[in-house]
Structure formats: C-alpha cells, structure tokens
Amino acid sequence: MGGNRGVAYIGKGKVEIQEIDYPDLVLRDGPGVNPLNVGRKCEHGVILKVVTTNICGSDQHMVRGRTTAPEGLILGHEITGEIIECGRDVEFMQKGDLVSVPFNIACGRCRACKEQDTHICLNVNPDRPGSAYGYVDMGGWVGGQSEYVMVPYADFQLLRFPDKDQAMSKIRDLTMLSDIFPTGFHGAYSAGVSPGKSVYIAGAGPVGLAAAHSAQLLGASVVIVGDLIQERLDQAKSFGCETINLREHDDIGEQIEQILGTPEVDCAVDAVGFEASAHGAGGGEAPATVLNSIMQLTRAGGKLGIPGLYVTGDPGGVDEDAREGTLKIRLGLGWAKAHTFVTGQTPVMKYHRELMNSILSGRAEIAKAVNATIISLDQAPEGYQQFDGGASKKFVIDPHGMLK
C-alpha cells in the first residue's frame, strides 16, 4: 500500500496538508462518513492518481465555517486523474485512462440516474438525494484534493479523454469539466440563454465567469456581470463581458438600462449563493439579495438559473432563519412575473461530454475565462487564503507536478 496526502479542513478558516490513508475499494469510516455508508464495497470503482484537482467556492463555504462540516474532512470534488487500479466489476475503463470525474456521485441504477438527474442519485447518500466527494452531509465519500482517490461506479460516471497527449496539452481547460464549467453552463442554459438574448450574471467568481463564458457560447447578445470586487470584474471584461461594480452602484436596474437601454434582461444567473452581500458601499451580508435582485431585473416570463449554493444549515447565518436556510425571498414578485426557477446541484453528466468536445475543438477557452492558476498540493492552504480574499483566480492543484 502506498502513501497519500490530502487537504484537510481543520477548523474555521484553516486547512492543512495531512498524511491520509491510501484509497481502496471500500468506503472506510472517517470524518463525515455516514454510518450507513461505512464498509460500503466498491468493486465497481477505480483508484485514480490525481492529475489535477481544483479549489471550489463550495469548498470555501466549509472552510469559512459556514456549514456543519466536521474537522478532519478531506476536501475536494473537482477531480481529473489517471486510472491506476480497476475494481473487479469495472468492464469498460482501463488502467492508464485519463478521465474527468463528475463531482456528483451517481450509481447509474436508480430512477433519478436513469432520468439523467445524476445530481440527485437516490443510492449514494443515506441522508438525502445527491452526493459529492469531500463535502458536508454528502455521504462521506473521501475528497480528491489529494494524491490518490477512489471513485465508485466508474463505468457509468467517468468521462474518458480520447487522446491522452492531446488532453494533457489542454488539461487546464479539461480540469474544469468536473464541476465549474458544467455548473456555469447549467446556470446559463437553465436560465434560457440562447442566441440574441441578454443575460445578467450575479457574481464574478469562477462559477460566474464560467456562466458568462457559457452564455457567450450559447449565443447571448450581451453578457452583463455584477460583483463587489473590481479585480473579478476586470477578469470578466477581459473576455468581452459588460460589468457592474455593485459596491459602487446599488441600483442595478439603472446600470443595466445604461447598457441595454432598458432596465431588464431576458434571463439571469445567480452564481453567488447564500453568502451574498447587500449592494452599495458598506453593505453587509444579506443572503436573499441576489435572488430578489434577479427577480427584479428579469423580464416577465424569463428564467432564473441558480447554481449558487444554498444550504439547510449555516452556523454563521445572519439570523435564526438564515441559520436554517430560510431566506426572505420575494416569491410573490417571481410569481407575478411568471418566472421559472432552476436550482440545485448541476447534473454534470448532462453536459460534460459536449463541453469536452468544445474544449478539444478550441471553441471553449474556459481556463482563460476563469484565470486558471496552477499550484502544488503544498500551496493549497495559501490558495484557499487568496481565494477567500477575492483573488480572481481558479486555483488548480497539481499534486504530482505533472503539468508543465
């Protein structure tokens, strides 16, 4: 058995690199593992040598202490790797394959999976539908910000890259297929972005930037991105987006009117989630801000894509309601305007193959859009600090130094 190291959450605001167990094809007991999942055999799984694994804004929520994540949880759900061991029941994947791992863990057998709702698989998380690696209340599957990781249900889930050398030459883009690119695309697609439409993206973090690039791929006429951090807005501008600094302007409608000639857009995306802030100078945390603002800004009959994370438990919530995920949302406004809301985890497998082809053809340049920045595993704690400070970078961890 070999060694392994991974990024562990050790308390509010802190992660560290720890020696962890080398994976095998059984889900062992450990921090966050649901007791009903302990000892679960995974002969349908593989062991991956992790080639790249990314830091996600969802990880940051846990590290900030804004969830009920237990100390010692090994983080990381954005994984790309090389298969080095296959379980007995794996038929179609082989050692040496370079693959993208959807962050949703899905069995491929339940009703949800058969209906392509792999984000709400019914068999992998005893607590509720849906699961992910290295994430709170998601069943306890060990995270992939590590050197090696076990991935179950390999034949069903894994996306194999057709040419290994070509894939490594585009790995900065392809690493985004595990979560951020499909999530951004899902936000734009579910918001109804199509040729000629205008779209407002709330948030210029990596998911917001991915949603903006996806909106361009879908043919949007104008993509407007709003954020509180100018550095992130500058990144959105770098690939052709219009921007609004929400720290300087609290009336988004007025700013949109200056861009479009009307204070409304055809569709909108919430790429912020439950740690939203009020707009304007000195605005504090106000978790319903984005949801209410995009209802106000979106035309009647429009759609709202909501890939931003909302939780059922937030120890750091601004009030008792927020601590249990109850927010003061103007649902009556959305009802009156006949809005369509699409929420929840992204079903990555609905999109990842086509997005891979867009990358390999040169059509999609997602690494450029999100400012992919390569770091070593030992640099991960610093990456978390910079990301928490608002750096406009998508940190990509290279655990084995395989990227040139």
Side-chain angles (χ1 to χ4, degrees):
M1 180 178 292
N4 194 15
R5 297 191 305 152
V7 180
Y9 167 64
I10 58 169
K12 186 175 179 180
K14 297 178 182 179
V15 300
E16 70 176 20
I17 310 304
Q18 294 184 351
E19 296 288 333
I20 62 175
D21 290 339
Y22 187 85
D24 58 12
L25 298 173
V26 178
L27 182 53
R28 307 289 185 186
D29 197 7
V33 180
N34 189 297
L36 297 175
N37 262 351
V38 173
R40 187 167 180 160
K41 296 180 180 179
C42 297
E43 290 292 346
H44 42 64
V46 298
I47 307 299
L48 293 185
K49 178 181 181 179
V50 177
V51 174
T52 56
T53 176
N54 314 328
I55 297 176
C56 179
S58 299
D59 298 321
Q60 200 66 267
H61 291 305
M62 290 187 290
V63 173
R64 289 187 187 122
R66 297 301 297 269
T67 72
T68 56
E71 294 183 10
L73 184 72
I74 303 303
L75 302 169
H77 55 269
E78 300 190 15
I79 308 164
T80 304
E82 179 184 4
I83 297 175
I84 58 174
E85 179 183 341
C86 291
R88 178 195 61 209
D89 299 332
V90 176
E91 291 188 71
F92 307 115
M93 295 291 162
Q94 299 177 353
K95 288 183 182 180
D97 286 343
L98 187 61
V99 296
S100 177
V101 183
F103 81 87
N104 324 108
I105 301 173
C107 70
R109 297 153 167 79
C110 68
R111 175 179 176 176
C113 286
K114 289 179 179 180
E115 294 180 357
Q116 289 193 302
D117 292 327
T118 53
H119 57 311
I120 48 172
C121 175
L122 305 177
N123 288 332
V124 290
N125 182 1
D127 286 330
R128 58 174 181 249
S131 189
Y133 303 89
Y135 209 83
V136 59
D137 295 334
M138 288 290 183
W141 300 89
V142 179
Q145 285 175 14
S146 56
E147 295 172 328
Y148 302 92
V149 68
M150 187 268 282
V151 173
Y153 304 105
D155 283 331
F156 176 64
Q157 295 189 102
L158 294 181
L159 176 66
R160 176 170 43 209
F161 301 135
D163 183 289
K164 205 169 178 179
D165 291 337
Q166 180 193 30
M168 285 303 296
S169 73
K170 289 183 173 285
I171 195 67
R172 288 167 176 78
D173 295 283
L174 294 172
T175 188
M176 307 302 170
L177 290 173
S178 57
D179 179 356
I180 180 179
F181 196 9
T183 293
F185 189 90
H186 178 64
Y189 181 80
S190 60
V193 178
S194 60
K197 288 191 176 179
S198 59
V199 57
Y200 173 69
I201 312 288
V207 168
L209 296 171
H213 185 46
S214 298
Q216 292 173 332
L217 293 173
L218 289 165
S221 58
V222 182
V223 180
I224 305 169
V225 180
D227 200 278
L228 302 166
I229 300 173
Q230 187 60 44
E231 180 185 346
R232 291 182 166 186
L233 293 172
D234 291 341
Q235 180 63 26
K237 275 185 181 179
S238 74
F239 59 96
C241 299
E242 300 285 346
T243 62
I244 300 172
N245 188 318
L246 302 174
R247 188 70 74 197
E248 298 175 359
H249 305 286
D250 57 3
D251 188 337
I252 313 178
E254 179 182 331
Q255 300 304 308
I256 287 178
E257 186 169 20
Q258 290 183 15
I259 297 168
L260 299 177
T262 174
E264 289 188 324
V265 290
D266 294 314
C267 34
V269 178
D270 173 1
V272 178
F274 73 104
E275 286 193 68
S277 295
H279 302 152
E285 185 170 318
T289 297
V290 172
L291 292 172
N292 288 329
S293 66
I294 61 176
M295 282 189 281
Q296 178 184 349
L297 298 169
T298 304
R299 67 172 178 83
K303 295 181 179 180
L304 312 177
I306 309 173
L309 176 68
Y310 290 87
V311 295
T312 56
D314 173 13
V318 293
D319 54 35
E320 187 174 346
D321 284 341
R323 284 190 281 275
E324 63 174 20
T326 301
L327 309 182
K328 295 178 180 178
I329 299 168
R330 296 184 63 194
L331 187 58
L333 176 60
W335 187 94
K337 297 178 78 171
H339 284 157
T340 298
F341 298 75
V342 180
T343 69
Q345 290 186 45
T346 296
V348 168
M349 292 178 68
K350 277 189 178 180
Y351 307 110
H352 66 175
R353 184 174 302 278
E354 288 74 16
L355 293 177
M356 174 188 73
N357 291 335
S358 295
I359 289 169
L360 295 178
S361 70
R363 172 71 173 151
E365 297 183 308
I366 186 64
K368 179 180 177 182
V370 301
N371 194 19
T373 302
I374 309 300
I375 60 174
S376 69
L377 186 64
D378 289 320
Q379 291 172 312
E382 181 184 350
Y384 270 95
Q385 287 184 346
Q386 288 189 35
F387 191 27
D388 190 46
S392 186
K393 298 176 181 180
K394 177 66 174 176
F395 288 104
V396 177
I397 300 171
D398 175 12
H400 296 279
M402 298 177 69
L403 277 63
K404 296 180 181 178

